[in-house]
Amino acid sequence: MNAKKLWISLATVIILSFAILGYYGGEIYHSMPPIPKNVVTTDGRVVATKQDILNGQNVWQSIGGQEVGSIWGHGAYVAPDWSADWLHRESELILNRWAKVTPPDTYESLDDETKAVLLTRLKKEMRTNTYQPNTGNLVISADRAFAYDELSRHYTSLFGNDPAFDKLRDSYAIPRNAITDPARQKALSAFFFWAAWSCSTERPGDTITYTNNWPHESLVDNNMTGSMVIWSVVSFVLLLAGVGALAWYYAAQKHHDGEELFPDKDPLLGLAPTPSMKATLKFFWVVTALVVAQAALGVITAHYQVEGSSFYGIPIAEWIPYSVTRTWHTQLGIFWIATAWLATGLFVAPAVSGHEPKFQRALINFLFVCLLIIVVGSMAGQWFAIRQKLGYTTNFWFGHQGYEYVDLGRFWKIFLTVGLFLWLFLMARAIWPALRRKQEGKHLLALFLLASTAIPVFYIPGLMWGQHTHLAIAEYWRWWVVHLWVEGFFEVFATVVIAFLFTRMGLLRISTATSSVLFSTVIFLFGGIIGTFHHLYFSGTPIGVLAFGAAFSALEVVPLCLIGFEAYENLTLTRARPWVKAYKWPILYFVAVAFWNLVGAGLFGFFINPPVALYYMQGLNTTPVHGHTALFGVYGTLGIGLMLFCLRGLTSNKEWKTGVLRFSFWAINIGLALMVLLSLLPIGLMQTWASVEHGMWYARSAEFMGRGIIHNFVWMRIVGDTIFTAGLLSLGWFVLGLKTGWSLKDDRVSYLGDKGAPAKK
């Protein structure tokens, strides 16, 4: 297929996909659960107001939001899902209240016939939609008001300092006095009530709840729907059809490329690094420091699941509680991976264009300072927020927004967005001269610039929600950032960068690279853009979101079915010419990317993506199985590979001592695999069984997670974590050694060829 047809296909995919994404954004706005003006009892008592619910959402965000428990299945995994927890506790309170008038005094002690009668009554009580659109009021019975008051006291004690809740707080890794202000405690209960009400109340004129019957809760007849089964089957069929079609296309096209002729000397690093290329070195130092810090925070965060308020007896929760360490752990992951990729772009741009713009080095240094301010400032703001030292508005702007992966306060998000556009400007001014020249690689350069443009543009959705935006709308925009930015266009950018590196090294024909990258981008975005919906099945969205999400998330896996060929081809490049030995470890990291793309993004991703699976698995440890193997395994490993590629260029006159690098590579990959196989996956599967048998509330409960076998599997994670951390520390030692000299040999690399002239200024 020629480049023109591929460009037309790419434009068609992008336009149609975003049209569907935008259309259902409007549908979500019309079908999301309403926030009532007042929650009132049948006798007129006001239980909560709309402002209470909105303030409660802000309180939840300020204590960490999705970093401490979850709402509608999205968030952390140690504390409960608060919507499922409230729903189950409320149902039990009402049943026991009714049982008192039918002795004996508890629901569980009743006979089966009486239980069945009360369950039928509870289903009607909980599922009937009593929201009044004409007044904006939600009318609840005296029984629900009683349960509301009881649960308000429960959560006030939990997030306060009631000694009777010390054990439960420890299980949830919540410190004492997480919330001390009575007004904030009251508001948080209002928000939890509303989130649970959305899960149990049927949509007007329908028989399913606002969250499509999630979570699984037999007491209120929340069960999997027929549409989930149908669209799960459709997703399986589409996956098989897509794999077959792609295999046929690959077989038909693969043998027409001809034999590759590799150069005898290194053509890329024959260019001496320009001043701006040298200026990127400090970015890679920061990457190394952040990845080590992230690993340390990951160890602390995982240990909180065993000792909820301490670290091997040290009461660190007094200074950095679980919600802080998890926030920093996830945020630093995004920071260092993005920094590695962005710095690679700044390094590669002058190399591929042969042009060094004026003041490029000074602007890169300015961008570096901005990066440091954003990292330090946002982390400090989040600490102050979780310690409840900021007001609602100040927290929104400078503290913790409570949404996983986009926790930064609004000021820091704007600062980061401006910084990304500055990066795009630096990229464009370095590449533009090459685009103006007539050359074979013009299509690849254009795609490079397009992918670079998408990076700042698709961070803008992180600015689309306000302080009081409805949770369903905030989730919609959040996944635009997390899925489209992190899992979408960053991957396109990385694919183009790797193609550039290989073409400039003479290891890949420009025509071959152009067609391959364009085709890969088309099929990846075909499933990837609309596949965003698979995160939104149960977030107050209509059935159409479930249907499109199931179908297109299956198609996301299709391009990964041939990832083994990519890994094999990358591996064979290490033996193409003697000089390619200098790139052995960066290329092996690209091979690891291919492996984790297949396993982490493909197998473990599709494992939880179909509605029939995610209905029971959302919010369980099956999610971090996918998260760790995809986010670190694919994007993190790729970031390390790109960093090593650039560092090779900055130290091209010396041969590396690769013993430490070899250990680091294998320790990181083996440690990541053991972390998942020995701990996260077994716990996730046990939770899934508990979710199917008893309900989501039980799978996330302190009772279930406190079982001895679960703690044993948590401790088993030490094996993988230790090996993994040793690999990252070794990587940091190696990178530091490139500066100090202990990672370099004295002899000049004989197979790199003669140094050429620096790029034009």
Side-chain angles (χ1 to χ4, degrees), residues 685-706:
L685 292 176
M686 292 178 66
Q687 283 183 297
T688 301
W689 171 84
S691 177
V692 173
E693 291 289 318
H694 303 287
M696 174 60 61
W697 70 272
Y698 180 68
R700 292 282 299 274
S701 67
E703 176 187 355
F704 181 81
M705 296 303 292

Side-chain angles (χ1 to χ4, degrees), residues 220-259:
V220 298
D221 206 25
N222 263 12
N223 292 300
M224 187 169 55
T225 65
S227 60
M228 294 181 197
V229 177
I230 291 172
W231 286 109
S232 295
V233 172
V234 169
S235 72
F236 299 145
V237 173
L238 286 176
L239 173 61
L240 293 174
V243 169
L246 186 60
W248 176 84
Y249 176 86
Y250 187 86
Q253 299 293 320
K254 186 61 183 172
H255 302 294
H256 300 316
D257 295 335
E259 185 180 354

Side-chain angles (χ1 to χ4, degrees), residues 417-542:
T417 303
V418 173
L420 290 172
F421 275 101
L422 173 58
W423 171 82
L424 175 61
F425 170 72
L426 297 177
M427 292 286 293
R429 71 198 299 257
I431 295 173
W432 193 253
L435 269 173
R436 296 176 62 185
R437 296 194 297 265
K438 290 184 178 180
Q439 57 184 41
E440 189 182 4
K442 198 168 184 178
H443 289 290
L444 202 56
L445 280 168
L447 189 57
F448 188 23
L449 189 58
L450 177 64
S452 300
T453 303
I455 289 174
V457 167
F458 283 97
Y459 194 72
I460 292 177
L463 307 176
M464 297 301 289
W465 62 80
Q467 182 180 340
H468 297 302
T469 296
H470 194 289
L471 182 61
I473 298 298
E475 277 290 274
Y476 170 76
W477 288 117
R478 180 175 79 92
W479 285 111
W480 271 59
V481 179
V482 178
H483 187 90
L484 292 178
W485 191 63
V486 178
E487 299 184 40
F489 288 98
F490 248 136
E491 179 150 335
V492 173
F493 172 77
T495 303
V496 177
V497 169
I498 293 174
F500 260 128
L501 293 174
F502 285 166
T503 56
R504 292 291 293 179
M505 291 167 65
L507 300 177
L508 191 64
R509 286 192 188 139
I510 291 177
S511 58
T512 302
T514 300
S515 59
S516 296
V517 170
L518 273 170
F519 180 72
S520 298
T521 301
V522 170
I523 60 172
F524 181 80
L525 294 183
F526 179 72
I529 295 175
I530 302 177
T532 304
F533 284 148
H534 79 256
H535 301 284
L536 301 171
Y537 293 155
F538 314 119
S539 298
T541 54

Side-chain angles (χ1 to χ4, degrees), residues 383-398:
W383 184 87
F384 280 106
I386 289 172
R387 304 302 290 177
Q388 295 294 285
K389 297 181 182 296
L390 303 177
Y392 294 146
T393 303
T394 305
N395 175 71
F396 175 78
W397 281 94
F398 297 98

